[in-house]
Amino acid sequence: NLTLVLSLNNIKSIEPGAFAGIHLAELALRSAFESSMMQTSLQGLAGLQVSRLIVGVFNDQDRQQDFERGLLDGLCQVQMEEFVLICLGDFEDGTDTLFNCIGNVSTIRLVDLGLKQISQVPVGSKVKQLECKKCGFDDVPALKLSLFKELRVLRITKNRSLKTFEQKFEGLSNLEVIDLSENRLTFSGCCSRQFRNCSNLKHLNLSFNSYIRLTGDFINAENLLYLDFQHTTLFGPDTYPVFLSLQRLIYLDISHTKTEVKSQCTFCGLNS
């Protein structure tokens, strides 16, 4: 259960095999490398078994490392349950290797990255929880994310540039939680058309966004238990009972949404 923190060092290299056969609860490598030495040094982690691996830097002033093709190739021979990549700069054009060596990690957290689109998803990915916090998305990258077939929990939060939700999630039969809170989303037709064949979805958080039009229904998300719109301006529900299919819903938050109840059947269907 040892945690090893090597952050805030000036590591020039890690000797190949130095971590072979070692088991750690956590290894932290933030602001630990000379800017040009991260890729080479990570190759020295081969053979490591670790519950959580944290790689990156601490703040904008220290953000000299951009994501280059093959930056994480050294992690192909590391066994880990959770990987955190934090506070890196821009992703080079054509860089599509982010998930090459971490596609079978159960939990991935991408925090404060210059990531504008989801990289290529390896076939047979085993990722079950994915968080993208303070990244650079303009549109919810639902098409690429739908390739994570084992995904159970998805969080995309605090992305200031994230304003549209044009793409659709499809075929994520294991997905239970989607948290899209604290972005700047504006979209209409919420919410059935955004989720196709996601029959196991139970928690949907759209709070602290800009503007959502409840002009659709929830037929493709009828197993929802938790639905949160707080502090997001809602258009609707109007005369159409948009919640009619949510027979199992036990929590609905429409506080601070400027909602006007105009029909006796606004909340029809909410029997739980």
Side-chain angles (χ1 to χ4, degrees):
N1 294 321
L2 178 67
T3 294
L4 179 59
V5 179
L6 295 176
S7 301
L8 295 172
N9 276 289
N10 192 25
I11 298 173
K12 293 179 172 59
S13 66
I14 296 177
E15 184 177 344
F19 283 87
I22 293 178
H23 298 249
L24 295 174
E26 181 176 305
L27 174 60
L29 294 166
R30 295 183 66 181
S31 301
F33 306 105
E34 290 187 356
S35 61
S36 61
M37 299 308 299
M38 180 183 289
Q39 181 172 350
T40 302
S41 297
L42 290 178
Q43 292 174 357
L45 299 181
L48 171 68
Q49 296 184 40
V50 60
S51 296
R52 180 188 294 116
L53 175 62
I54 304 172
V55 174
V57 298
F58 273 106
N59 52 49
D60 286 333
Q61 288 71 35
D62 196 27
R63 196 187 303 225
Q64 299 176 358
Q65 176 70 58
D66 290 339
F67 189 95
E68 303 168 351
R69 181 174 294 276
L71 179 66
L72 303 180
D73 282 359
L75 301 184
C76 282
Q77 319 236 351
V78 176
Q79 295 183 39
M80 51 187 158
E81 298 174 13
E82 179 179 349
F83 177 66
V84 183
L85 186 63
I86 185 166
C87 211
L88 291 192
D90 294 333
F91 279 57
E92 291 184 352
D93 291 340
T95 297
D96 214 21
T97 62
L98 173 60
F99 295 109
N100 280 13
C101 289
I102 60 173
N104 289 325
V105 178
S106 179
T107 300
I108 297 176
R109 298 184 62 231
L110 307 174
V111 182
D112 203 359
L113 305 181
L115 181 65
K116 296 182 180 179
Q117 59 184 5
I118 292 293
S119 298
Q120 186 66 37
V121 178
V123 176
S125 168
K126 302 299 183 184
V127 177
K128 292 180 172 60
Q129 297 189 47
L130 177 62
E131 178 180 2
C132 303
K133 181 179 179 180
K134 295 183 179 179
C135 292
F137 304 134
D138 296 321
D139 187 19
V140 178
L143 289 176
K144 281 284 187 69
L145 291 171
S146 294
L147 298 175
F148 287 103
K149 296 303 182 184
E150 298 295 321
L151 200 61
R152 286 171 168 76
V153 177
L154 173 64
R155 304 186 190 280
I156 303 177
T157 61
K158 297 186 177 181
N159 294 268
R160 292 187 175 184
S161 61
L162 185 55
K163 298 179 180 179
T164 61
F165 195 168
E166 297 294 333
Q167 301 178 30
K168 300 174 180 61
F169 290 100
E170 187 161 1
L172 292 176
S173 59
N174 294 307
L175 188 63
E176 296 183 8
V177 177
I178 292 186
D179 184 353
L180 297 173
S181 62
E182 297 184 78
N183 299 301
R184 295 183 177 179
L185 287 172
T186 295
F187 66 98
S188 61
C190 180
C191 281
S192 186
R193 72 178 186 87
Q194 284 81 16
F195 306 101
R196 294 182 177 176
N197 299 319
C198 300
S199 57
N200 208 33
L201 187 62
K202 294 181 173 65
H203 295 251
L204 178 58
N205 189 349
L206 290 164
S207 62
F208 293 90
N209 278 287
S210 295
Y211 184 90
I212 295 176
R213 293 174 63 93
L214 287 174
T215 52
D217 53 44
F218 289 85
I219 292 176
N220 287 333
E222 59 188 7
N223 288 320
L224 276 177
L225 302 176
Y226 175 103
L227 180 59
D228 192 349
F229 288 114
Q230 64 175 301
H231 291 274
T232 298
T233 299
L234 294 181
F235 178 85
D238 203 337
T239 56
Y240 180 77
V242 294
F243 303 118
L244 189 61
S245 61
L246 297 180
Q247 302 287 328
R248 301 182 180 181
L249 196 73
I250 58 176
Y251 178 90
L252 172 65
D253 194 335
I254 55 172
S255 60
H256 305 282
T257 59
K258 301 180 181 178
T259 297
E260 295 184 16
V261 178
K262 299 181 180 180
S263 168
Q264 291 183 346
C265 206
T266 295
F267 300 108
C268 285
L270 299 180
N271 300 322
S272 297

